[in-house]
Coordinates of all heavy atoms in Angstrom, one line a residue:
M1 N 62.6 62.7 110.9 CA 62.8 64.1 111.1 C 64.2 64.4 111.6 O 64.6 63.7 112.5 CB 61.7 64.6 112.0 CG 61.8 66.1 112.2 SD 60.7 66.8 113.5 CE 59.1 66.6 112.8
A2 N 64.8 65.4 111.1 CA 66.2 65.8 111.5 C 66.1 66.5 112.8 O 65.2 67.3 113.1 CB 66.8 66.6 110.4
K3 N 67.1 66.2 113.7 CA 67.1 66.8 115.0 C 67.7 68.2 114.8 O 68.7 68.4 114.1 CB 68.0 66.0 115.9 CG 68.1 66.5 117.3 CD 68.9 65.6 118.2 CE 68.9 66.1 119.6 NZ 69.7 65.3 120.5
Q4 N 67.0 69.2 115.4 CA 67.5 70.6 115.3 C 68.6 70.9 116.2 O 68.6 70.5 117.4 CB 66.3 71.6 115.6 CG 66.6 73.0 115.3 CD 65.4 73.9 115.4 OE1 64.4 73.5 116.0 NE2 65.5 75.1 114.9
R5 N 69.7 71.5 115.7 CA 70.9 71.8 116.5 C 70.6 72.9 117.5 O 69.9 73.9 117.3 CB 72.0 72.3 115.6 CG 73.3 72.5 116.2 CD 74.4 72.9 115.2 NE 75.6 73.1 115.8 CZ 76.0 74.1 116.7 NH1 75.1 74.9 117.1 NH2 77.2 74.2 117.2
V6 N 71.1 72.7 118.7 CA 70.9 73.7 119.8 C 72.0 74.8 119.6 O 73.1 74.5 119.4 CB 71.2 73.0 121.2 CG1 71.1 74.0 122.3 CG2 70.2 71.9 121.4
P7 N 71.5 76.0 119.6 CA 72.5 77.1 119.5 C 73.6 77.1 120.5 O 73.4 76.7 121.6 CB 71.6 78.4 119.6 CG 70.2 78.0 119.4 CD 70.2 76.5 119.9
E8 N 74.8 77.5 120.1 CA 76.0 77.5 121.0 C 75.7 78.2 122.3 O 76.1 77.8 123.4 CB 77.2 78.1 120.3 CG 78.4 78.1 121.2 CD 79.6 78.9 120.6 OE1 79.4 79.8 119.7 OE2 80.7 78.6 121.0
W9 N 75.1 79.4 122.2 CA 74.8 80.2 123.4 C 74.0 79.4 124.4 O 74.2 79.5 125.6 CB 74.2 81.5 123.1 CG 72.8 81.6 122.7 CD1 72.4 81.6 121.4 CD2 71.6 81.6 123.5 NE1 71.0 81.6 121.3 CE2 70.5 81.6 122.6 CE3 71.4 81.6 124.8 CZ2 69.2 81.6 123.1 CZ3 70.1 81.6 125.3 CH2 69.0 81.6 124.4
R10 N 73.0 78.6 123.9 CA 72.2 77.8 124.8 C 73.0 76.7 125.5 O 72.8 76.4 126.7 CB 71.0 77.2 124.1 CG 69.9 78.2 123.8 CD 68.7 77.5 123.3 NE 67.7 78.4 122.9 CZ 66.7 78.9 123.7 NH1 66.6 78.5 124.9 NH2 65.8 79.7 123.2
E11 N 73.9 76.0 124.7 CA 74.7 75.0 125.3 C 75.7 75.5 126.3 O 75.8 74.9 127.4 CB 75.6 74.3 124.2 CG 74.8 73.5 123.2 CD 75.6 72.9 122.0 OE1 76.8 73.1 122.0 OE2 75.0 72.3 121.2
L12 N 76.3 76.7 126.1 CA 77.2 77.3 127.0 C 76.4 77.8 128.3 O 76.9 77.7 129.4 CB 77.9 78.5 126.4 CG 78.9 78.0 125.3 CD1 79.5 79.2 124.5 CD2 80.1 77.2 125.9
L13 N 75.2 78.3 128.1 CA 74.4 78.7 129.2 C 74.1 77.5 130.1 O 74.3 77.5 131.3 CB 73.1 79.4 128.7 CG 72.1 79.7 129.8 CD1 72.6 80.8 130.8 CD2 70.8 80.1 129.2
R14 N 73.6 76.4 129.5 CA 73.3 75.2 130.2 C 74.5 74.7 131.0 O 74.5 74.3 132.1 CB 72.8 74.2 129.3 CG 72.3 72.9 129.9 CD 71.8 71.9 128.9 NE 72.0 72.4 127.6 CZ 71.5 71.8 126.5 NH1 70.8 70.8 126.6 NH2 71.8 72.3 125.3
D15 N 75.7 74.8 130.3 CA 76.9 74.3 130.9 C 77.3 75.1 132.2 O 77.7 74.6 133.2 CB 78.1 74.4 129.9 CG 79.3 73.6 130.3 OD1 79.2 72.6 131.0 OD2 80.4 74.0 129.8
A16 N 77.1 76.4 132.1 CA 77.4 77.3 133.2 C 76.4 77.1 134.3 O 76.8 77.0 135.5 CB 77.4 78.8 132.8
L17 N 75.1 77.0 134.0 CA 74.1 76.8 135.0 C 74.2 75.5 135.7 O 73.7 75.4 136.9 CB 72.7 77.0 134.4 CG 72.4 78.4 133.9 CD1 71.0 78.5 133.2 CD2 72.5 79.5 135.0
S18 N 74.8 74.5 135.1 CA 74.8 73.2 135.7 C 76.2 72.9 136.3 O 76.4 71.8 136.9 CB 74.5 72.1 134.7 OG 75.4 72.1 133.6
E19 N 77.1 73.8 136.3 CA 78.5 73.6 136.8 C 78.5 73.6 138.3 O 77.9 74.5 138.9 CB 79.5 74.7 136.3 CG 80.9 74.5 136.8 CD 81.4 73.1 136.4 OE1 81.5 72.8 135.2 OE2 81.8 72.3 137.3
L20 N 79.0 72.6 138.9 CA 79.1 72.4 140.4 C 80.4 72.8 140.9 O 80.5 73.1 142.1 CB 78.7 71.0 140.8 CG 77.3 70.6 140.4 CD1 77.1 69.1 140.8 CD2 76.2 71.4 141.0
D21 N 81.4 72.8 140.1 CA 82.8 73.2 140.6 C 83.0 74.7 140.5 O 83.1 75.3 139.4 CB 83.8 72.4 139.7 CG 85.2 72.6 140.1 OD1 85.5 73.6 140.9 OD2 86.1 71.8 139.7
V22 N 83.1 75.3 141.7 CA 83.2 76.8 141.8 C 84.4 77.3 141.1 O 84.5 78.4 140.6 CB 83.1 77.2 143.2 CG1 83.4 78.7 143.4 CG2 81.7 76.9 143.8
D23 N 85.5 76.5 141.0 CA 86.7 76.9 140.3 C 86.5 77.0 138.8 O 87.2 77.8 138.2 CB 87.9 75.9 140.7 CG 88.3 76.0 142.1 OD1 88.1 77.0 142.8 OD2 88.8 74.9 142.6
K24 N 85.6 76.2 138.3 CA 85.4 76.2 136.8 C 84.3 77.2 136.4 O 84.2 77.6 135.3 CB 85.0 74.8 136.3 CG 86.1 73.8 136.5 CD 85.5 72.4 136.0 CE 86.6 71.3 136.2 NZ 86.1 70.0 135.8
L25 N 83.5 77.6 137.4 CA 82.3 78.4 137.1 C 82.6 79.8 136.5 O 82.0 80.2 135.5 CB 81.5 78.6 138.4 CG 80.1 79.1 138.3 CD1 79.3 78.4 137.3 CD2 79.5 79.1 139.7
P26 N 83.6 80.6 137.0 CA 83.9 81.9 136.3 C 84.1 81.8 134.8 O 83.5 82.6 134.1 CB 85.1 82.4 137.1 CG 85.1 81.7 138.4 CD 84.5 80.3 138.1
E27 N 84.9 80.9 134.4 CA 85.2 80.8 132.9 C 83.9 80.4 132.2 O 83.6 80.9 131.1 CB 86.3 79.8 132.7 CG 86.6 79.7 131.2 CD 87.7 78.7 130.9 OE1 88.4 78.3 131.8 OE2 87.9 78.5 129.7
K28 N 83.1 79.5 132.8 CA 81.9 79.0 132.1 C 80.9 80.2 132.0 O 80.2 80.3 131.0 CB 81.3 77.8 132.7 CG 82.3 76.6 132.5 CD 81.7 75.3 132.9 CE 82.6 74.2 132.6 NZ 82.0 72.9 132.7
I29 N 80.8 80.9 133.1 CA 79.9 82.1 133.0 C 80.3 83.1 132.0 O 79.5 83.6 131.2 CB 79.8 82.8 134.4 CG1 79.1 81.9 135.4 CG2 79.1 84.1 134.3 CD1 79.2 82.4 136.9
A30 N 81.6 83.4 131.9 CA 82.2 84.3 131.0 C 82.0 83.9 129.6 O 81.5 84.7 128.7 CB 83.6 84.6 131.3
R31 N 82.2 82.6 129.3 CA 82.0 82.1 127.9 C 80.5 82.2 127.5 O 80.2 82.5 126.4 CB 82.5 80.7 127.8 CG 84.0 80.6 127.8 CD 84.5 79.1 127.6 NE 85.9 79.0 127.7 CZ 86.8 79.4 126.7 NH1 86.3 79.9 125.6 NH2 88.1 79.3 126.9
A32 N 79.6 81.9 128.4 CA 78.2 82.0 128.1 C 77.8 83.4 127.9 O 77.1 83.7 126.9 CB 77.4 81.4 129.3
E33 N 78.3 84.3 128.7 CA 78.0 85.7 128.5 C 78.4 86.2 127.1 O 77.7 87.0 126.4 CB 78.6 86.6 129.6 CG 77.9 86.6 130.9 CD 78.5 87.5 131.9 OE1 79.7 87.7 131.9 OE2 77.7 88.1 132.7
V34 N 79.7 85.9 126.7 CA 80.2 86.3 125.4 C 79.3 85.7 124.3 O 78.9 86.5 123.4 CB 81.6 85.8 125.3 CG1 82.1 86.0 123.8 CG2 82.5 86.6 126.2
A35 N 78.9 84.5 124.4 CA 78.1 83.9 123.3 C 76.7 84.5 123.3 O 76.2 84.8 122.2 CB 78.0 82.4 123.6
V36 N 76.1 84.8 124.4 CA 74.8 85.5 124.4 C 74.9 86.9 123.8 O 74.1 87.3 123.0 CB 74.3 85.5 125.9 CG1 73.0 86.4 125.9 CG2 73.9 84.1 126.3
C37 N 76.0 87.6 124.2 CA 76.1 89.0 123.7 C 76.4 89.0 122.2 O 75.9 89.9 121.5 CB 77.2 89.7 124.5 SG 76.8 90.1 126.2
R38 N 77.1 88.0 121.7 CA 77.4 87.9 120.3 C 76.1 87.7 119.6 O 75.8 88.2 118.5 CB 78.4 86.8 120.0 CG 79.8 87.2 120.3 CD 80.7 86.1 119.8 NE 82.1 86.5 120.2 CZ 83.0 85.6 120.5 NH1 82.8 84.3 120.6 NH2 84.2 86.1 120.9
R39 N 75.2 86.8 120.1 CA 74.0 86.5 119.5 C 73.0 87.7 119.5 O 72.3 88.0 118.6 CB 73.3 85.3 120.1 CG 72.0 84.9 119.5 CD 72.3 84.4 118.1 NE 71.0 84.0 117.5 CZ 70.7 84.1 116.2 NH1 71.7 84.4 115.3 NH2 69.5 83.8 115.7
I40 N 73.0 88.5 120.6 CA 72.2 89.6 120.7 C 72.5 90.7 119.6 O 71.7 91.3 119.1 CB 72.3 90.3 122.1 CG1 71.6 89.4 123.1 CG2 71.8 91.7 122.1 CD1 71.8 89.8 124.6
K41 N 73.8 90.7 119.2 CA 74.2 91.7 118.2 C 73.7 91.4 116.8 O 73.7 92.2 115.9 CB 75.7 91.8 118.2 CG 76.3 92.5 119.4 CD 77.8 92.6 119.3 CE 78.4 93.3 120.5 NZ 79.8 93.4 120.4
V42 N 73.2 90.2 116.6 CA 72.6 89.8 115.3 C 71.3 90.5 115.1 O 70.4 90.4 116.0 CB 72.4 88.2 115.2 CG1 71.7 87.9 114.0 CG2 73.8 87.5 115.3
K43 N 71.1 91.2 114.0 CA 69.9 92.0 113.8 C 68.7 91.2 113.6 O 67.6 91.6 113.8 CB 70.2 93.0 112.7 CG 71.2 94.0 113.0 CD 71.4 95.0 111.9 CE 72.6 95.9 112.3 NZ 72.6 97.1 111.6
A44 N 68.8 90.0 113.0 CA 67.6 89.2 112.6 C 67.2 88.2 113.7 O 66.7 87.1 113.4 CB 67.9 88.5 111.3
V45 N 67.4 88.5 115.0 CA 67.0 87.6 116.0 C 65.5 87.8 116.3 O 65.0 88.9 116.4 CB 67.7 88.0 117.3 CG1 67.2 87.1 118.5 CG2 69.2 87.7 117.1
A46 N 64.8 86.7 116.3 CA 63.3 86.7 116.5 C 63.0 87.2 117.9 O 63.8 87.1 118.8 CB 62.7 85.3 116.3
K47 N 61.8 87.8 118.1 CA 61.4 88.3 119.4 C 61.5 87.3 120.5 O 62.0 87.6 121.6 CB 60.0 88.9 119.3 CG 59.6 89.6 120.6 CD 58.2 90.2 120.4 CE 57.7 90.9 121.6 NZ 56.4 91.5 121.5
A48 N 61.1 86.1 120.3 CA 61.1 85.0 121.3 C 62.6 84.7 121.7 O 62.9 84.5 122.9 CB 60.4 83.8 120.8
E49 N 63.4 84.6 120.7 CA 64.8 84.3 121.0 C 65.5 85.5 121.8 O 66.2 85.3 122.7 CB 65.7 84.0 119.8 CG 67.1 83.6 120.1 CD 68.0 83.3 119.0 OE1 67.6 83.5 117.8 OE2 69.1 82.8 119.2
R50 N 65.1 86.7 121.4 CA 65.7 87.9 122.1 C 65.3 87.8 123.6 O 66.0 88.2 124.4 CB 65.2 89.2 121.4 CG 65.6 90.4 122.1 CD 67.2 90.4 122.3 NE 67.5 91.4 123.3 CZ 68.3 92.4 123.0 NH1 68.8 92.6 121.8 NH2 68.6 93.3 124.0
Q51 N 64.0 87.5 123.8 CA 63.6 87.3 125.2 C 64.4 86.3 125.9 O 64.8 86.4 127.1 CB 62.1 87.0 125.3 CG 61.6 86.9 126.7 CD 61.7 88.2 127.5 OE1 61.3 89.3 127.1 NE2 62.4 88.2 128.7
A52 N 64.6 85.1 125.3 CA 65.4 84.1 125.8 C 66.9 84.5 126.1 O 67.4 84.2 127.1 CB 65.4 82.8 124.9
L53 N 67.4 85.3 125.2 CA 68.8 85.9 125.4 C 68.8 86.8 126.6 O 69.7 86.7 127.4 CB 69.2 86.6 124.2 CG 69.5 85.7 123.0 CD1 69.5 86.5 121.7 CD2 70.8 84.9 123.2
D54 N 67.8 87.7 126.7 CA 67.7 88.5 127.9 C 67.6 87.7 129.2 O 68.2 88.1 130.2 CB 66.5 89.5 127.8 CG 66.7 90.5 126.7 OD1 67.9 90.8 126.3 OD2 65.7 91.1 126.3
D55 N 66.8 86.7 129.2 CA 66.6 85.8 130.3 C 67.9 85.1 130.7 O 68.3 85.0 131.9 CB 65.5 84.8 130.1 CG 64.1 85.4 130.0 OD1 63.9 86.6 130.4 OD2 63.2 84.7 129.5
A56 N 68.7 84.7 129.6 CA 70.0 84.1 129.9 C 70.9 85.0 130.6 O 71.6 84.6 131.5 CB 70.6 83.6 128.5
L57 N 71.0 86.3 130.1 CA 71.9 87.3 130.8 C 71.4 87.5 132.3 O 72.3 87.6 133.1 CB 71.9 88.6 130.0 CG 72.6 88.6 128.7 CD1 72.5 89.9 128.0 CD2 74.1 88.2 128.9
S58 N 70.1 87.5 132.5 CA 69.6 87.7 133.9 C 70.1 86.5 134.7 O 70.5 86.7 135.9 CB 68.1 87.8 133.9 OG 67.8 89.0 133.3
S59 N 69.9 85.3 134.2 CA 70.3 84.1 134.9 C 71.8 84.1 135.2 O 72.2 83.7 136.4 CB 69.9 82.8 134.1 OG 68.5 82.8 133.9
L60 N 72.6 84.5 134.3 CA 74.0 84.5 134.5 C 74.4 85.6 135.6 O 75.3 85.3 136.4 CB 74.8 84.7 133.2 CG 74.7 83.6 132.2 CD1 75.2 84.0 130.8 CD2 75.5 82.4 132.7
S61 N 73.7 86.7 135.5 CA 73.9 87.7 136.5 C 73.6 87.2 137.9 O 74.4 87.5 138.9 CB 73.1 88.9 136.2 OG 73.3 90.0 137.1
I62 N 72.5 86.5 138.1 CA 72.1 86.0 139.4 C 73.1 85.0 139.8 O 73.5 85.0 141.0 CB 70.7 85.4 139.3 CG1 69.7 86.5 139.1 CG2 70.4 84.5 140.5 CD1 68.3 86.0 138.7
L63 N 73.6 84.1 138.9 CA 74.6 83.1 139.3 C 75.9 83.8 139.8 O 76.5 83.4 140.8 CB 74.9 82.3 138.0 CG 75.7 81.0 138.2 CD1 75.1 80.0 139.2 CD2 76.0 80.4 136.9
K64 N 76.3 84.8 139.1 CA 77.5 85.6 139.5 C 77.3 86.2 140.9 O 78.2 86.1 141.7 CB 77.9 86.7 138.5 CG 78.4 86.2 137.2 CD 79.0 87.3 136.3 CE 78.0 88.3 136.0 NZ 78.5 89.3 135.0
K65 N 76.2 86.9 141.1 CA 76.0 87.5 142.3 C 75.9 86.5 143.5 O 76.4 86.8 144.6 CB 74.7 88.3 142.3 CG 74.8 89.6 141.5 CD 73.5 90.3 141.4 CE 73.7 91.5 140.4 NZ 72.4 92.2 140.2
H66 N 75.4 85.4 143.2 CA 75.2 84.3 144.3 C 76.6 83.8 144.7 O 76.9 83.6 145.8 CB 74.3 83.2 143.8 CG 74.2 82.1 144.8 ND1 73.5 82.2 146.0 CD2 74.7 80.9 144.8 CE1 73.6 81.1 146.6 NE2 74.3 80.3 146.0
H67 N 77.4 83.4 143.7 CA 78.7 82.7 143.9 C 79.9 83.7 144.1 O 80.8 83.3 144.7 CB 79.0 81.7 142.8 CG 78.1 80.5 142.8 ND1 78.3 79.5 143.8 CD2 77.0 80.2 142.1 CE1 77.3 78.6 143.6 NE2 76.6 79.0 142.6
F68 N 79.8 84.8 143.4 CA 80.9 85.8 143.4 C 80.4 87.2 143.6 O 80.4 88.0 142.7 CB 81.7 85.7 142.1 CG 82.0 84.3 141.7 CD1 81.2 83.6 140.7 CD2 83.1 83.6 142.3 CE1 81.5 82.3 140.4 CE2 83.4 82.3 141.9 CZ 82.6 81.7 141.0
P69 N 80.0 87.5 144.8 CA 79.4 88.9 145.1 C 80.3 90.1 144.7 O 79.7 91.1 144.3 CB 79.2 88.9 146.6 CG 79.3 87.5 147.0 CD 80.1 86.7 146.0
S70 N 81.5 89.9 144.6 CA 82.4 91.0 144.3 C 82.8 91.0 142.8 O 83.6 91.9 142.4 CB 83.7 91.0 145.1 OG 84.4 89.8 144.8
W71 N 82.2 90.1 142.0 CA 82.5 90.1 140.6 C 82.1 91.4 139.9 O 80.9 91.7 139.9 CB 81.9 88.9 140.0 CG 82.3 88.6 138.5 CD1 82.8 89.5 137.6 CD2 82.1 87.4 137.8 NE1 83.0 88.9 136.4 CE2 82.6 87.6 136.5 CE3 81.6 86.2 138.2 CZ2 82.5 86.6 135.5 CZ3 81.6 85.2 137.2 CH2 82.1 85.4 135.9
N72 N 83.0 92.1 139.3 CA 82.6 93.3 138.6 C 82.2 92.9 137.2 O 82.8 92.0 136.6 CB 83.8 94.3 138.5 CG 84.1 94.8 139.9 OD1 83.2 95.0 140.7 ND2 85.3 95.1 140.1
K73 N 81.2 93.5 136.6 CA 80.7 93.2 135.3 C 81.9 93.3 134.3 O 82.6 94.2 134.2 CB 79.6 94.2 134.9 CG 79.0 93.9 133.6 CD 77.9 94.9 133.2 CE 77.3 94.5 131.9 NZ 76.3 95.4 131.5
G74 N 82.1 92.1 133.6 CA 83.1 92.1 132.6 C 84.5 91.8 133.1 O 85.4 91.7 132.3
S75 N 84.7 91.7 134.4 CA 86.0 91.6 134.9 C 86.8 90.3 134.5 O 88.0 90.3 134.4 CB 86.0 91.8 136.4 OG 85.3 90.7 137.0
L76 N 86.0 89.2 134.3 CA 86.7 88.0 134.0 C 86.6 87.6 132.5 O 87.4 86.8 132.1 CB 86.1 86.8 134.8 CG 86.3 86.9 136.3 CD1 85.7 85.7 137.0 CD2 87.8 86.9 136.6
I77 N 85.8 88.3 131.8 CA 85.6 88.0 130.4 C 87.0 88.1 129.6 O 87.4 87.2 128.9 CB 84.5 88.8 129.7 CG1 83.2 88.4 130.3 CG2 84.6 88.7 128.2 CD1 82.0 89.2 129.8
T78 N 87.7 89.2 129.9 CA 88.9 89.4 129.1 C 90.0 88.5 129.6 O 90.9 88.2 128.9 CB 89.4 90.9 129.2 OG1 89.5 91.2 130.6 CG2 88.4 91.8 128.5
K79 N 89.9 88.0 130.8 CA 90.9 87.1 131.4 C 90.7 85.7 131.0 O 91.7 84.9 130.8 CB 90.9 87.2 132.9 CG 91.3 88.5 133.5 CD 91.2 88.5 135.0 CE 91.4 89.9 135.6 NZ 91.2 89.9 137.0
T80 N 89.5 85.2 130.8 CA 89.2 83.8 130.6 C 88.8 83.4 129.2 O 89.0 82.3 128.8 CB 88.1 83.3 131.5 OG1 86.9 84.0 131.3 CG2 88.6 83.4 133.0
V81 N 88.3 84.4 128.4 CA 87.8 84.0 127.1 C 88.8 84.6 126.1 O 89.0 85.8 126.0 CB 86.4 84.6 126.8 CG1 85.9 84.3 125.4 CG2 85.4 84.0 127.9
R82 N 89.3 83.7 125.3 CA 90.3 84.1 124.3 C 89.8 83.8 122.9 O 89.2 82.9 122.7 CB 91.7 83.5 124.6 CG 92.3 84.0 125.8 CD 93.6 83.2 126.2 NE 94.2 83.8 127.3 CZ 93.9 83.7 128.5 NH1 92.8 83.1 128.9 NH2 94.6 84.2 129.5

């Protein structure tokens, strides 16, 4: 049986959630947010995946609030994701 590929947004989410270096964390959060938002824009997303995407954004938001209380929504995305 062929191994199913993990979607990019899930890999980036996992990478952000498991990052221990606070200096690397803002870029990883921003990259994961961009990937999740791009996937949300796809019209043919199944209901289960859409729920997982919403959960991912919630998790990233909690991570930002915990480590960077003053982080404004979207403030680092344009700086770190090219």
Side-chain angles (χ1 to χ4, degrees):
M1 182 187 289
K3 187 176 180 181
Q4 190 173 13
R5 187 181 180 290
V6 176
E8 179 187 26
W9 70 266
R10 285 190 186 269
E11 290 177 4
L12 292 170
L13 174 65
R14 184 178 7 187
D15 196 30
L17 294 175
S18 64
E19 183 56 62
L20 299 176
D21 185 340
V22 173
D23 293 332
K24 294 178 183 178
L25 193 52
E27 181 175 353
K28 291 190 176 191
I29 291 171
R31 288 186 183 281
E33 280 185 327
V34 168
V36 169
C37 289
R38 284 183 182 148
R39 183 65 184 152
I40 285 173
K41 289 182 180 181
V42 173
K43 293 183 183 195
V45 174
K47 185 176 180 180
E49 184 180 8
R50 177 54 198 242
Q51 182 61 55
L53 290 161
D54 290 343
D55 292 346
L57 287 178
S58 293
S59 296
L60 292 167
S61 178
I62 291 167
L63 189 61
K64 286 191 302 190
K65 287 177 186 174
H66 177 75
H67 289 285
F68 311 101
S70 63
W71 186 341
N72 295 324
K73 184 177 179 182
S75 64
L76 292 181
I77 290 176
T78 56
K79 295 177 187 174
T80 59
V81 178
R82 290 173 175 76

